[in-house]
């Protein structure tokens, strides 16, 4: 049986032929505005939050499949139920489609995983969320992967002893590592310097990253900054986020983003997950 602090691959089971996930590459006659399903663990926002918000800003219909299992933090039973849904979808061996959530499907026969890949695919499908200039688009991709790097480093910092085990079993060591990671002019600040400089290039950072409207990178960076702010609260380091002048542009950018009608509607709905209870930079 799978445990919550156990790597997903430990929970894998053999598949029978009837349960193999079908994968279609036929893009004809698809209605991209509906037919989406999101598969992500029910412990908080996590990496799934980037996908939820992309779906919201794309204006598509989607369901979150693992909600059917209840909350992962409720105990072994709900976690096992989530794994049982994920395993047939991601497959194994020659039928592998993905390693782990977040995973999305469209019409149940197209499967895509990896947060960045999903976000960029949605931006292609809904070009209003792309910068208009191809050079801006190239830079936006760089900013996305900058955030992905920062999230991965934050995850490592919050799981310094056993990277695939629970934060709760290595809390003391993790808090020390996180303090070092988030300190003034520390490693995290170097990632944020890159994002801040890019935002500043457009109207002094008073609006959005590119042009005069939200693109996928605004969604991605604002979601990351929320995760940053909430994570340091848990380890009683709020001032790291709230008072460092270097972060002011991105703090204000986050506020503008969260004041949008789309975000506000989402935040007040039952689609908005609870805040993650660990400082893992998962919203």
């Amino acid at each position: 049986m799978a445990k919550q602090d156990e790597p997903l691959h430990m929970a894998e089971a053999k598949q029978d032929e009837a349960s193999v996930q079908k994968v279609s590459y036929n893009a004809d006659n698809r209605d991209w505005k509906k037919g989406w399903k999101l598969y992500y663990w029910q412990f908080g926002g996590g990496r799934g939050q980037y996908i939820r918000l992309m779906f919201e800003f794309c204006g598509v219909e989607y369901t979150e499949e693992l909600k059917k299992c209840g909350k992962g933090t409720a105990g072994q039973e709900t976690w096992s139920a989530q794994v049982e849904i994920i395993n047939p979808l991601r497959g194994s061996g020659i039928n592998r489609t993905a390693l782990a959530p977040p995973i999305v499907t469209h019409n149940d026969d197209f499967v895509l995983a990896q947060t960045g890949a999903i976000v960029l695919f949605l931006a292609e499908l809904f070009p209003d969320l792309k910068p208009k200039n191809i050079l801006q688009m190239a830079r936006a991709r760089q900013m996305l992967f900058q955030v992905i790097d920062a999230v991965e480093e934050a995850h490592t910092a919050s799981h310094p002893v056993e990277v695939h085990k629970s934060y709760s079993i290595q809390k003391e060591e993790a808090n020390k590592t996180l303090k070092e990671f988030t300190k003034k002019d520390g490693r995290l600040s170097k990632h944020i310097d890159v994002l801040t400089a890019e935002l500043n290039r457009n109207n002094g950072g008073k609006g959005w990253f590119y042009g005069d409207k939200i693109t996928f990178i605004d969604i991605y960076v604002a979601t990351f900054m929320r995760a940053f702010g909430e994570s340091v609260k848990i380890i009683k380091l709020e001032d790291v986020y709230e008072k460092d002048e270097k972060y002011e542009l991105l703090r204000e950018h986050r506020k503008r983003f969260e004041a949008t009608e789309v975000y506000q509607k989402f935040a007040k709905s039952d689609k908005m997950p609870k805040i993650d209870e660990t400082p893992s930079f998962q919203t």
Side-chain angles (χ1 to χ4, degrees):
M1 274 208 174
K3 297 179 181 178
Q4 280 183 265
D5 60 358
E6 189 173 72
L8 185 59
H9 63 78
M10 298 295 287
E12 291 184 8
K14 291 183 179 180
Q15 284 186 288
D16 58 55
E17 190 172 337
S19 69
V20 171
Q21 173 65 40
K22 301 296 189 293
V23 179
S24 172
Y25 294 94
N26 184 356
D28 296 336
N29 301 316
R30 287 183 183 263
D31 183 352
W32 297 113
K33 279 283 190 178
K34 56 187 179 182
W36 293 98
K37 293 178 180 178
L38 169 63
Y39 297 80
Y40 195 75
W41 310 120
Q42 296 300 296
F43 64 83
R47 289 177 173 87
Q49 190 76 340
Y50 299 93
I51 313 305
R52 294 180 192 98
L53 284 165
M54 278 297 292
F55 279 153
E56 295 293 328
F57 277 83
C58 290
V60 304
E61 296 177 12
Y62 68 99
T63 58
E64 191 155 352
E65 294 300 291
L66 298 190
K67 277 190 173 183
K68 299 171 183 175
C69 305
K71 301 297 182 184
T73 52
Q76 176 69 34
E77 184 176 345
T78 54
W79 175 251
S80 297
Q82 291 180 63
V83 172
E84 287 175 11
I85 292 175
I86 288 294
N87 272 344
L89 177 64
R90 68 198 186 97
S92 62
I94 197 67
N95 296 310
R96 174 74 76 186
T97 62
L99 176 62
I103 303 171
V104 300
T105 63
H106 185 259
N107 290 356
D108 294 322
D109 66 359
F110 175 71
V111 182
L112 189 63
Q114 295 289 345
T115 313
I118 296 167
V119 167
L120 289 172
F121 181 59
L122 289 170
E124 287 295 324
L125 293 177
F126 300 93
D128 282 349
L129 288 175
K130 286 173 57 178
K132 299 302 181 186
N133 181 305
I134 61 170
L135 299 184
Q136 291 177 335
M137 183 62 189
R139 291 285 297 175
R141 288 193 188 99
Q142 178 190 327
M143 297 305 122
L144 181 146
F145 287 106
Q146 195 75 51
V147 174
I148 289 173
D149 283 353
V151 170
E152 190 60 33
E153 289 184 23
H155 178 81
T156 300
S158 61
H159 298 73
V161 181
E162 294 282 353
V163 71
H164 294 298
K165 297 287 186 179
S166 170
Y167 161 77
S168 63
I169 68 169
Q170 50 196 313
K171 185 175 179 179
E172 184 176 348
E173 297 90 342
N175 289 355
K176 291 177 184 177
T177 310
L178 283 164
K179 186 175 182 180
E180 179 70 17
F181 177 66
T182 59
K183 72 180 183 181
K184 188 176 179 65
D185 298 323
R187 179 66 179 177
L188 175 61
S189 72
K190 292 175 171 56
H191 289 290
I192 292 180
D193 281 349
V194 177
L195 302 171
T196 299
E198 189 72 356
L199 178 61
N200 188 61
R201 291 186 178 99
N202 186 25
N203 194 31
K206 297 175 182 176
W208 308 114
F209 270 84
Y210 304 106
D212 58 2
K213 64 180 183 178
I214 288 174
T215 62
F216 71 87
I217 198 59
D218 295 291
I219 298 169
Y220 216 93
V221 172
T223 303
F224 169 72
M225 289 301 288
R226 178 175 181 262
F228 170 24
E230 295 298 330
S231 289
V232 291
K233 283 181 187 177
I234 293 168
I235 53 175
K236 311 301 183 186
L237 292 174
E238 296 95 327
D239 287 358
V240 171
Y241 174 84
E242 294 173 359
K243 295 187 177 180
D244 194 324
E245 292 181 2
K246 291 177 67 173
Y247 302 157
E248 183 176 0
L249 275 186
L250 290 182
R251 286 196 302 265
E252 293 302 310
H253 173 267
R254 174 192 166 190
K255 288 178 183 176
R256 285 192 296 277
F257 175 76
E258 292 182 355
T260 61
E261 183 178 351
V262 173
Y263 185 90
Q264 284 293 308
K265 183 178 179 181
F266 169 72
K268 294 171 184 175
S269 74
D270 61 2
K271 296 179 183 178
M272 180 70 156
K274 68 174 186 177
I275 293 287
D276 182 21
E277 297 173 354
T278 71
S280 305
F281 281 62
Q282 307 291 329
T283 53

